[in-house]
Amino acid sequence: MSSAAVRRGTLALTVAMMLAPAMAAAATKTDAEAAIAAARKAEAAAGVLQNQWLPTEAALKMAAKALAAGKYDAAVATAKRAHALAELSIQQAREQDKLWHNEVVR
Amino acid sequence: MFHSRLRAAALLAGMLGAMVLAQAPARAAPAPNPEADRLAFQAYFRKNYPAVKNSDWGNGPYALNAGMRKQWEAIMQFPPYEFALAAGEKEFNRKFANGRSYADCFPNKGIGIRQNYPYFDTKTGEVVTLGIAINRCRVANGEKPLGYKKGLLAAIETYMAHTSRGKPFDIKVPNDPRALAAYEAGKKFFYSRRGQLNFSCASCHVQKAGHRLRGDILAPALGIMAAFPIYRSKWGEMGTIQWRFVGCNKQVRSVPFKPQSKIYRDLEYFLSYMSNGVPITGPGARP
């Protein structure tokens, strides 16, 4: 992944984490379900690129658990983290699609 | 240091590794040329590790580290794969219910042929590893397929590798667009950075071969398939190449693929081809 992309990703992650608690205070079941669905969609896209990350999967599981336990604020926050991680992995796959040539022994 | 880098925050690890790349524009994709790749690959290792003999590349970390080699030589006086070897030989010679046996499924009755796997099957258009060939044989003879990570399949491979010791890898990439595509897919996987830690296989097994990572010495990618299957103390049993791929994907926090999935077979095909000329040393033993 390029350093610019990593920086962009870090920013996205930070913003997501900052926003999450503020929004979570009022999160409903519908909010939580929507956030999880959106994160799952991004993770499925990473799967098509054969580039899913373990922390994304872990966050998705945690979000689903929080939803089941009725902790909607936590579910939204964790789903947003999963979503941000999934986006990073997609970005990594897209960039590596070209950059891998640079690592070839020649 | 490499060690602390891996343990540092994932994004930091990514940035360190990627800064060089970010400045270099991506190179254009050249037409696939496996033999040119192999010559460059082997020249790199032979130049950077001039003391390693050709017969030693199949000994993984022991080829590059004298301290570990001593421990290994001590272990090899009572090789931990002996049980699997005996079990594998017994199974290999067992008659299936239909009276046939494994020998009937393989060239040269399955003896001394491990160095020819994986091969590209021009009929089905896909890469056939030794594990796949063993299960194909079983299914064709009315037996249940075996799991691909360990157990009986690893034992059969242990025996088949043992009968092939010293025979140099001799992998063929036929001039067939499907074979070249499989080879390229394996090559791309090997060199692509993956997982939250943003490492490629090459980051560790090319660029850092011989360096220490936690308690391990990183095996060089040249010859890295030659010792399999291996008895790994951490596993407490014999394991296949495909199991090792799963572990190496996980340690960079990447979701692993199923053993013998297409991408892992292509990866094994590429890596084995890179080792053409390096003798089989398997079965192996690792800490």
Side-chain angles (χ1 to χ4, degrees):
Chain A
M1 192 173 340
S2 76
S3 55
V6 173
R7 255 181 266 121
R8 250 179 284 133
T10 315
L11 190 66
L13 204 60
T14 318
V15 171
M17 282 168 149
M18 273 164 30
L19 288 180
M23 292 168 22
T28 62
K29 186 173 182 223
T30 317
D31 294 337
E33 283 168 349
I36 290 173
R40 286 214 173 112
K41 201 171 155 204
E43 179 65 342
V48 172
L49 300 174
Q50 298 197 311
N51 200 40
Q52 292 175 329
W53 289 359
L54 290 172
T56 315
E57 295 288 311
L60 275 173
K61 268 196 197 132
M62 271 175 62
K65 257 194 186 163
L67 171 66
K71 297 179 178 165
Y72 304 130
D73 47 354
V76 169
T78 320
K80 283 190 183 294
R81 183 150 52 88
H83 198 152
L85 287 166
E87 293 294 347
L88 276 175
S89 69
I90 288 169
Q91 210 162 8
Q92 181 188 49
R94 295 224 169 101
E95 291 178 357
Q96 287 300 306
D97 218 27
K98 299 186 187 69
L99 288 178
W100 71 270
H101 289 286
N102 292 343
E103 296 214 11
V104 173
V105 174
R106 63 189 85 227
Chain B
M1 235 208 92
F2 188 56
H3 176 95
S4 50
R5 221 177 96 198
L6 185 69
R7 292 198 151 193
L11 291 171
L12 182 65
M15 287 162 82
L16 286 176
M19 253 163 344
V20 190
L21 293 183
Q23 273 133 29
R27 296 191 198 222
N33 186 342
E35 192 54 10
D37 289 353
R38 184 184 73 87
L39 292 174
F41 192 88
Q42 297 204 357
Y44 169 90
F45 282 100
R46 296 188 202 286
K47 180 170 149 262
N48 285 291
Y49 308 89
V52 179
K53 285 182 291 191
N54 189 52
S55 58
D56 230 6
W57 286 110
N59 288 322
Y62 309 117
L64 305 187
N65 188 279
M68 263 186 91
R69 195 180 181 98
K70 276 226 167 107
Q71 281 180 32
W72 176 57
E73 279 163 358
I75 290 172
M76 291 302 268
Q77 294 184 345
F78 303 95
Y81 50 71
E82 289 288 333
F83 287 113
L85 181 58
E89 179 169 11
K90 189 166 164 231
E91 171 65 14
F92 190 87
N93 292 319
R94 178 177 69 88
K95 290 250 182 295
F96 301 135
N98 64 6
R100 290 161 58 87
S101 72
Y102 293 98
D104 297 313
C105 299
F106 290 95
N108 199 39
K109 301 212 173 301
I111 303 302
I113 58 160
R114 188 265 173 271
Q115 70 284 358
N116 302 323
Y117 289 78
Y119 71 92
F120 187 81
D121 184 342
T122 46
K123 274 192 219 105
T124 61
E126 57 179 12
V127 170
V128 177
T129 58
L130 188 58
I132 292 277
I134 289 169
N135 265 349
R136 272 191 185 174
C137 175
R138 291 178 60 91
V139 171
N141 288 288
E143 304 275 317
K144 283 204 183 99
L146 300 169
Y148 283 120
K149 287 202 317 205
K150 51 189 169 182
L152 194 53
L153 184 111
I156 298 166
E157 288 189 357
T158 299
Y159 174 65
M160 293 181 81
H162 198 261
T163 67
S164 314
R165 276 192 171 170
K167 295 194 188 287
F169 263 116
D170 187 15
I171 307 300
K172 308 269 196 300
V173 181
N175 194 7
D176 174 323
R178 296 166 307 167
L180 287 165
Y183 168 87
E184 277 292 300
K187 177 178 167 186
K188 179 182 176 193
F189 193 89
F190 181 76
Y191 288 113
S192 294
R193 289 169 176 269
R194 325 179 60 76
Q196 193 188 29
L197 298 190
N198 201 36
F199 281 88
S200 69
C201 311
S203 312
C204 285
H205 295 293
V206 176
Q207 292 149 25
K208 295 290 171 185
H211 286 60
R212 196 171 278 280
L213 177 59
R214 301 200 194 96
D216 291 319
I217 300 291
L218 287 164
L222 176 55
I224 202 166
M225 305 280 90
F228 278 82
I230 54 172
Y231 183 96
R232 200 167 169 236
S233 309
K234 201 179 147 195
W235 289 337
E237 59 188 314
M238 294 304 289
T240 62
I241 286 168
Q242 300 270 327
W243 190 6
R244 189 65 246 204
F245 287 168
V246 168
C248 276
N249 271 160
K250 280 187 182 167
Q251 60 176 333
V252 298
R253 300 189 201 152
S254 180
V255 173
F257 297 86
K258 285 215 173 72
Q260 303 290 2
S261 55
K262 180 183 184 310
I263 192 65
Y264 276 179
R265 277 184 281 136
D266 292 350
L267 175 63
E268 185 178 334
Y269 190 42
F270 164 75
L271 277 172
S272 304
Y273 186 86
M274 286 300 99
S275 294
N276 269 356
V278 172
I280 297 295
T281 54
R286 298 287 183 267

